[in-house]
Amino acid sequence: MSDGDSTLSRAADAVEEASNAKALDVLARSGFAVMALLHIIVGVIAIAIAFGHPGDAETTGAIARLGDNPWGPIVLWGCVAACLGLALWQASEATLRARSLPRKERLAKLASSGFLAIAYGSVGLTFAGFAVGQRSDSGDRTRDFSAILMANPVGPWVLVALGLTILGIGVYFVIKGVRRGFKEELFHFDGTRRGRLIDGLGVTGHVAKGIALNLTGLLFVIAAAKHRPDESTGLDGGLKALQDHPFGPALLVAIGAGFIAYGIFALVRARFGRM
């Protein structure tokens, strides 16, 4: 190994050691807790929509609910720090902590944790936007994004690819829930009655989230097929589209309850899960 490689290796070791700091661990767990709370709020909003109440069953709608109280700004900035800390932790998982893994596992970790780092960072920036008064609606942003794509000759194909990707992620969540693939993230209560309850929450929550993502991805594909960007409305639009079907409200309640179950499971994972 050359002196340059040795220096880089020592520097990477030092940065990895810094990423294991207790403060980052606390921030990352707090970030998981924030994401869990967002799922619970989205679930409550979805159930309210099923009974005819207004609401936006999506991340921005949940963030708005968190900000609509006297402590709103403090809560929002706290969520910014937690989500960005979680994004930084995921970035370290994708790079520094995966250095010793075999090549195939390292690339898989880079893709999965790298995607999560971007996703959590995006949620953190959304919190920051709300904290400074720049509220936005993710459904509107999705429609605008789809309209921009549609203006390009290859845009519809990109939109189809995006929809199929979301559908794939949805299928992944369903399979992960049915096969209890989440157990490797949370083994603290294995073999106990409480553990069986948490497993049930995990199965229900992952399957419900997968179904919701499938609805979202399907809307992207339909919007591309019809060349109607206004029909790609994200999670909120996917859930509200169920209202027009005979069993839609019941399914909305079921998905909302599933999101709440996922949120409760994620809260337990935030506290006791492997980091």
Side-chain angles (χ1 to χ4, degrees), residues 105-117:
E105 292 180 30
R106 189 168 67 249
L107 291 176
K109 194 68 175 174
L110 177 62
S112 60
S113 292
F115 171 80
L116 289 174

Side-chain angles (χ1 to χ4, degrees), residues 15-29:
V15 175
E16 182 179 356
E17 185 176 349
S19 74
N20 291 325
K22 182 67 175 179
L24 183 58
D25 183 82
V26 171
L27 272 179
R29 289 187 184 277

